């Protein structure tokens, strides 16, 4: 890890290291006083393999934490609705939308811990890859290297999905055109996918199975890991789009390749409620008394139900729908516990009940990537390659959860009808699996309400430490259509 000292002076503000030191040496040989055995650790196969085994847990717990953007992303997307001030949910879903409070004194930790955790994960992943490349003797070097590459991909990829800028570096220092490694979210995602492709190639060329503790409840053979990583590639590539105009620049052939080689059954991880658990969205956005389903989603299933709770509405009757999931996955609530003083637009008559077994038992498998999610990337790609193939895309939609769980009629081979069906499934079927999925979908389709930020700025605490001038997005701050929505579904 001694090479990290080479970039300490530029990466320290980014990592926001907890230290009381005011001055920092930049010499390569300066010892890290917080971790004085870094050089030993960087060549100790037992310690490094343990670090490799923690990477997926680190990523999962970071993206499903309350100290992160997940809850606010869901409410900004009008997938969930909450009037409570926790986790930035109320602030960022208030109407009309306002600029994000990016000051270092803001009380909700929406971006800081998320930002720090992913950069810490990137540092660990870089160390693992460097150790393999330098010849450290592992029992299964291919497995360890794959985990390191995957860690690089997930950390940089999930920074790219959320922030306007990313700093790229490896064990040798900053990489890229800028001397600090700073780059835009598109370039960063390209880098993340390169690392993911390298991890996939390692899995495809070798035979191994991850230890159970690295990914509980999963048959994490190299073959299955390849499928999971391919599905993750499709997720990150499509999810990184900031507006509908950018869809034309997406490599849809690459999306199709990822999806074709992706999962064929749900990717579920066994929760133990100690090391593995999901707070967002699977707990606080579904637990009674906390989050509810936004009325826009209920209106999608029942057009006779209003998509928006106006001030003149006091109560709403139970909705009806041809979609069976309204009965199986959603629970009607006759009254609201939210304060009308905070805006009746937060009100809803439904909560998401499909996760009731989880919030009752806590130690069951949870879906991170559903087969439906992967299949819909395939369908969307088919609509965007060449002149489009709506018949093939419709066939995928009609074989999926639309008919198998929703018992809805098949869609016709009409491109717009298939597009609409894909969007519907993303909001109704798996909005409560991976972090930010409804937000990424609404962002891609220009459906976020006017003024909603399209990505977060670098956290204010990092700006203070660099130092760099304060900036933020949302409301009217930033560039319309690039940093904040200039018009959405309402």
């Amino acid at each position: 890890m001694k090479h990290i000292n080479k970039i300490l002076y530029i990466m320290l503000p980014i990592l926001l290291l907890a230290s009381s030191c005011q001055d920092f040496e930049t010499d390569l040989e300066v010892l890290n006083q917080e971790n004085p055995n870094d050089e030993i650790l960087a060549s100790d196969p037992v310690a490094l393999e343990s670090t490799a085994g923690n990477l997926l847990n680190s990523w999962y717990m970071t993206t499903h934490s309350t100290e992160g953007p997940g809850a606010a992303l869901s409410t900004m997307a009008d997938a969930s609705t909450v009037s409570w001030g926790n986790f930035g949910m109320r602030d960022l879903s208030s109407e009309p939308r306002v600029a994000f409070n990016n000051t270092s004194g803001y009380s909700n930790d929406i971006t800081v811990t998320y930002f720090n955790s992913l950069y810490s994960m990137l540092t660990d992943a870089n160390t693992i890859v460097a150790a393999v490349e330098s010849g450290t003797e592992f029992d299964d070097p291919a497995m360890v290297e794959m985990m390191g590459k995957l860690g690089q991909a997930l950390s940089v990829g999930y920074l790219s999905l959320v922030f306007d800028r990313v700093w790229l570096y490896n064990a040798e220092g900053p990489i890229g055109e800028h001397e600090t490694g700073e780059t835009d979210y598109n370039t960063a995602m390209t880098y993340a996918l390169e690392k993911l492709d390298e991890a996939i190639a390692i899995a495809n060329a070798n035979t191994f199975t991850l230890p159970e503790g690295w990914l509980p409840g999963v048959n994490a053979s190299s073959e299955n890991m390849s499928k999971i990583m391919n599905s993750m590639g499709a997720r990150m590539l499509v999810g990184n789009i900031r507006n509908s105009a950018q869809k034309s620049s997406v490599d849809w052939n690459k999306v199709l390749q990822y999806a074709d080689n992706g999962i064929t059954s749900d990717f579920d991880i066994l929760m133990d409620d100690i090391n593995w658990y999901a707070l967002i969205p699977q707990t606080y956005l579904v637990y009674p008394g906390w989050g509810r389903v936004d009325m826009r989603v209920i209106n999608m299933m029942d057009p006779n139900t209003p998509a928006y709770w106006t001030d003149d509405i006091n109560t709403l009757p139970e909705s009806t729908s041809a979609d069976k999931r309204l009965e199986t996955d959603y629970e009607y609530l006759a009254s609201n516990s939210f304060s009308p003083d905070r805006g009746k637009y937060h009100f809803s008559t439904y909560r998401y009940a499909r996760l009731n077994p989880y919030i009752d038992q806590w130690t069951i498998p949870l879906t991170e990537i559903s087969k439906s999610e992967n299949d819909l990337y395939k369908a969307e790609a088919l609509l965007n390659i060449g002149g489009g193939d709506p018949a093939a895309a419709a066939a995928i939609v009609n074989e999926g959860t639309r008919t198998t769980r929703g018992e809805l009629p098949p869609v016709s081979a009409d491109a717009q009808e298939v597009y609409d069906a894909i969007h519907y499934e993303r909001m109704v079927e798996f909005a409560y699996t991976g972090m930010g999925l409804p937000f990424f979908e609404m962002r891609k389709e220009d459906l976020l309400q006017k003024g909603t930020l399209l990505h977060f700025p670098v956290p204010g605490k990092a700006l203070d430490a660099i130092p760099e001038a304060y900036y933020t997005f949302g409301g009217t701050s930033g560039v319309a259509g690039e940093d904040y929505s200039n018009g959405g579904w309402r």
Side-chain angles (χ1 to χ4, degrees):
M1 291 186 185
K2 67 177 182 178
H3 301 292
I4 293 303
N5 290 296
K6 177 180 179 182
I7 60 168
L8 193 56
Y9 73 106
I10 48 179
M11 288 311 302
L12 188 67
I14 306 308
L15 294 173
L16 296 180
L17 295 177
S19 174
S20 61
C21 298
Q22 298 301 314
D23 299 304
F24 295 88
E25 298 287 348
T26 57
D27 191 285
L28 271 173
E29 300 305 320
V30 172
L31 291 175
N32 181 343
Q33 297 301 326
E34 293 185 340
N35 296 285
N37 296 316
D38 277 352
E39 292 195 44
I40 298 174
L41 178 64
S43 60
D44 180 354
V46 175
L48 285 167
E49 187 164 320
S50 176
T51 300
N54 287 328
L55 286 175
L56 285 172
N57 176 262
S58 176
W59 165 77
Y60 188 87
M61 297 302 292
T62 295
T63 58
H64 290 276
S65 174
T66 54
E67 294 180 328
L73 292 176
S74 189
T75 58
M76 284 192 289
D78 292 316
S80 300
T81 182
V82 184
S83 72
W84 312 134
N86 310 71
F87 326 135
M89 295 184 290
R90 177 192 175 196
D91 291 345
L92 286 168
S93 67
S94 64
E95 298 180 15
R97 297 290 199 254
V98 297
F100 169 56
N101 183 347
N102 194 35
T103 64
S104 57
Y106 181 49
S107 60
N108 284 306
D109 184 1
I110 299 175
T111 59
V112 174
T113 296
Y114 179 88
F115 187 85
N116 292 347
S117 295
L118 289 177
Y119 278 113
S120 177
M121 176 181 169
L122 175 59
T123 298
D124 285 343
N126 287 340
T127 301
I128 291 163
V129 171
V132 174
E133 292 176 348
S134 67
T136 300
E137 296 184 2
F138 296 100
D139 290 339
D140 196 328
M143 181 179 72
V144 173
E145 184 179 21
M146 185 210 74
M147 290 296 292
K149 300 281 188 179
L150 177 56
Q152 291 173 320
L154 289 176
S155 54
V156 174
Y158 269 73
L159 287 163
S160 306
L161 288 169
V162 170
F163 294 105
D164 65 319
R165 293 182 287 162
V166 179
W167 279 260
L168 299 178
Y169 62 97
N170 58 23
E172 297 299 321
I175 56 178
E177 296 182 359
H178 197 283
E179 63 178 358
T180 67
E182 179 187 344
T183 190
D184 63 273
Y185 62 86
N186 272 323
T187 303
M189 183 58 78
T190 298
Y191 176 83
L193 293 175
E194 288 173 356
K195 295 304 172 184
L196 186 69
D197 289 345
E198 291 171 9
I200 291 170
I202 293 170
N204 289 341
N206 294 275
T207 301
F208 52 76
T209 299
L210 302 187
E212 170 68 13
W214 292 18
L215 202 55
V218 180
N219 176 17
S221 65
S222 49
E223 179 182 2
N224 287 336
M225 286 303 299
S226 176
K227 293 177 181 179
I228 291 167
M229 291 188 290
N230 271 286
S231 293
M232 186 61 71
R235 172 189 280 186
M236 294 197 300
L237 185 51
V238 175
N240 208 42
I241 300 170
R242 263 42 174 191
N243 55 56
S244 63
Q246 292 183 0
K247 289 194 288 185
S248 61
S249 63
V250 171
D251 186 348
W252 290 104
N253 284 295
K254 183 66 171 176
V255 174
L256 183 60
Q257 177 187 334
Y258 278 138
D260 276 341
N261 292 306
I263 59 174
T264 54
S265 60
D266 292 349
F267 168 37
D268 297 342
I269 304 172
L270 179 62
M271 302 293 106
D272 62 9
D273 204 32
I274 300 171
N275 299 308
W276 292 86
Y277 52 89
L279 299 178
I280 302 294
Q282 291 93 332
T283 299
Y284 283 101
L285 294 183
V286 305
Y287 204 85
W290 281 86
R292 294 195 180 189
V293 179
D294 196 275
M295 293 305 297
R296 177 181 181 271
V297 177
I298 303 304
N299 170 263
M300 293 174 71
M301 290 186 279
D302 178 13
N304 292 318
T305 296
Y308 185 80
W309 197 296
T310 55
D311 287 343
D312 61 326
I313 299 174
N314 292 317
T315 61
L316 287 171
E318 189 168 1
S319 301
T320 59
S321 176
D323 191 329
K324 298 300 181 184
R325 289 170 292 191
L326 183 61
E327 298 177 11
T328 61
D329 297 358
Y330 297 81
E331 178 187 356
Y332 173 72
L333 303 168
S335 62
N336 274 274
S337 57
F338 299 146
S339 171
D341 295 339
R342 295 186 173 188
K344 291 183 74 173
Y345 53 80
H346 289 298
F347 282 23
S348 171
T349 50
Y350 279 86
R351 59 171 290 269
Y352 192 67
R354 189 178 179 186
L355 288 166
N356 283 355
Y358 176 61
I359 61 174
D360 178 54
Q361 301 175 47
W362 304 112
T363 54
I364 65 172
L366 281 183
T367 299
E368 173 59 31
I369 307 177
S370 67
K371 180 180 182 297
S372 178
E373 180 185 344
N374 184 77
D375 289 347
L376 293 181
Y377 293 130
K378 190 183 306 185
E380 187 174 15
L382 289 169
L383 289 174
N384 284 282
I385 294 172
D389 190 345
I396 292 171
V397 172
N398 292 333
E399 291 174 359
T401 51
R402 173 183 174 86
T403 58
T404 60
R405 297 195 69 249
E407 300 182 17
L408 292 170
V411 296
S412 67
D414 173 79
Q416 188 58 56
E417 188 175 345
V418 178
Y419 268 121
D420 291 344
I422 290 172
H423 177 71
Y424 180 97
E425 288 301 301
R426 285 175 172 159
M427 301 305 292
V428 170
E429 174 64 22
F430 53 83
Y432 294 84
T433 54
M435 183 205 81
L437 294 183
F439 179 87
F440 304 146
E441 168 66 8
M442 296 286 280
R443 177 172 70 179
K444 173 172 64 72
E445 301 300 332
D446 295 337
L447 290 172
L448 294 171
Q449 286 194 41
K450 185 177 181 179
T452 305
L453 58 80
L454 299 180
H455 44 211
F456 283 95
V458 173
K461 287 186 177 180
L463 298 177
D464 290 346
I466 290 175
E468 185 176 316
Y470 174 88
Y471 74 102
T472 192
F473 301 129
T476 57
S477 296
V479 178
E482 295 181 14
D483 300 317
Y484 68 88
S485 173
N486 54 5
W489 73 273
R490 64 175 304 276

